[in-house]
Amino acid sequence: MIHAVRCNHASFKTVEFRPGFNVVLADRTEDSGRRDSRNGLGKSTLIEIIHFCLGGTIPTAKGLGSRTLRGWAFSLELTLANQIITVTRNTEDRTQVVIDGDTANWPIQPHP
């Protein structure tokens, strides 16, 4: 289960998930009209961050690969093998995956 998605920049709002079914939606206010868009609010970016934290690639110069996000580190807190761990990747050093938590029961141990 994914518990949270975090970032090392204060402007990123932490996303927390609860047990059960979670849905990511864009807010609609009373002032929103029929033509108001829900585009550009971060729903797809959240999926891209989760994909990146789990080892996926990001395109150069767009999305998470954008120059404006250089040096941002995203963390994914999740339960894996009955233990809560945190996986962190930095957009500047995409080759490194930092795993924090108890990995003693993993059949393949991560490198320190």
Side-chain angles (χ1 to χ4, degrees):
M1 176 186 155
I2 297 173
H3 300 280
V5 179
R6 296 183 170 79
C7 183
N8 64 340
H9 282 257
S11 61
F12 181 88
K13 294 181 182 177
T14 296
V15 179
E16 295 182 345
F17 297 95
R18 298 181 180 146
F21 184 69
N22 290 263
V23 178
V24 177
L25 298 171
D27 282 339
R28 183 179 173 97
T29 66
E30 288 184 25
D31 297 333
S32 298
R34 289 180 57 208
R35 294 185 180 261
D36 286 331
S37 171
R38 305 298 170 262
N39 294 333
L41 297 176
K43 299 177 300 294
S44 296
T45 302
L46 179 61
I47 300 300
E48 186 178 8
I49 291 168
I50 293 169
H51 176 71
F52 176 62
C53 288
L54 293 176
T57 58
I58 54 176
T60 302
K62 77 182 238 190
L64 294 183
S66 165
R67 288 182 155 262
T68 59
L69 296 181
R70 184 171 284 165
W72 287 45
F74 295 97
S75 298
L76 183 65
E77 182 183 297
L78 67 151
T79 299
L80 189 61
N82 295 320
Q83 297 292 328
I84 295 178
I85 63 156
T86 302
V87 178
T88 302
R89 282 186 79 191
N90 191 306
T91 58
E92 198 158 11
D93 183 4
R94 301 172 192 180
T95 62
Q96 185 178 24
V97 178
V98 178
I99 300 172
D100 184 32
D102 184 3
T103 61
N105 292 329
W106 290 16
I108 300 172
Q109 289 297 306
H111 298 285

